[in-house]
Amino acid sequence: MSKPHPYRFSFGPWNISEGADPYGPAVRLPKPFDWKLAQLRKLGFEAMMFHDDDIVPDIDNKSAPQVLREAGELRKKLDDAGVIAEIVAPRLWFSPQTIDGAYTSNDPKARKYAINRSLQTIDIAGAVGCDLIVLWFAREGTYLREAKDGRRSVELLVEAINTMLMHDRKIRIAIEPKPNEPMDHAYIPTIGHALALSNLTCDPKRVGGLIETAHCILAGLDPSDEMDFALSAGKLWSVHLNDQNGLKFDQDKPFGSANLRSAFNQVRVLERNQFGSRGECVAFDVHSFRSTKIEHAVDHLANSRKTFLRLVEKARTFDEGKAGELIADRNYQALDQMVIEHLLGS
Ligand code: XUL
Ligand code: MN
């Protein structure tokens, strides 16, 4: 019998999607929120991630009291299902007001909209019992380098984060770095940039990171090293595990799908650092392949969780003593083969 795992798993409503891409429309019917919540429980997940408008659809056309009322209604559904809200993120990249970016837009009206909407996201998070706000800086960057002032953009990001931190002293902010897509160059492409930005804010203790596997690979970096970097600062507050086959569009493949060894190394880092023991969740930001039939609409989530747990067993049964001996002997050739044999199994 294997030991019970300490991990709590999470996904977002957007991870059960309809298969639309820039070249074609949806190919599966949308599933209602209640169905997604029921699936989440059935698959053994304990938490759900949200954008503000996953909680309150059509948010920009609703009054503040209505927004909070609807957030309260969703909280009740979560409580009844025994599910917690892991994170809430302002979805700042869909609005016609943020075509040129949100906090770093060249238009002051757009910047004001972005900050107000983020403060509302914080109030929504409070209403669903969540203290972790995630910022993915989707359009904070440029299509051409001359379009914005890079230093000024960093100042604007700091100002926006400070306003959020002061709005509610209980919240923490996790920055989710990504180097590109939809922008050519994003301003906060790696966790190193995110933690440096944190140090420029008025309360660095409350500004940490969320690391997504695919985003690290798109930056040409090793996801487990990025995780170790954030963990050294005590700032890995969530992960979006998935996979990515090289440098192309953001694929959000099932965890372990492209590089099982890299997935093993990510799990090993999380295990070594007792990730989850401080309340962190393991989230899978994965998408179905477009060819997926509706009856398999959640298989990528079930499979990612299953692969993760199999790799936890692999991390726990890895012969660390033997590995230590090979390292001391600088016999990395044997270490390499030892990892391969361990992953292949007997
Ligand atoms: C974008 C991405 C988003 C964030 C949440 O690539 O990963 O899903 O995780 O807004
Ligand atoms: Mn993500």
Side-chain angles (χ1 to χ4, degrees), residues 27 35 93 99 187 190 212 265 277 297 314:
V27 289
W35 186 88
W93 49 96
I99 288 172
Y187 282 130
T190 70
E212 171 161 328
N265 282 314
S277 62
K314 287 288 175 190

Side-chain angles (χ1 to χ4, degrees), residues 14-15 49 51 87 134 136 176-178 210-215 239-242 250 252 284-286:
W14 68 90
N15 296 121
M49 334 187 251
H51 297 105
I87 60 142
V134 166
W136 167 47
E176 180 180 352
K178 180 176 178 183
L210 179 161
I211 289 184
E212 171 161 328
T213 313
H215 298 179
V239 287
H240 279 182
L241 300 184
N242 56 20
D250 187 7
D252 295 338
F284 297 107
D285 197 0
V286 291

Side-chain angles (χ1 to χ4, degrees), residues 176-202:
E176 180 180 352
K178 180 176 178 183
N180 63 286
E181 201 204 39
M183 307 313 293
D184 179 15
H185 288 289
Y187 282 130
I188 306 297
T190 70
I191 195 67
H193 293 81
L195 298 191
L197 189 70
S198 161
N199 281 341
L200 296 174
T201 68
C202 62

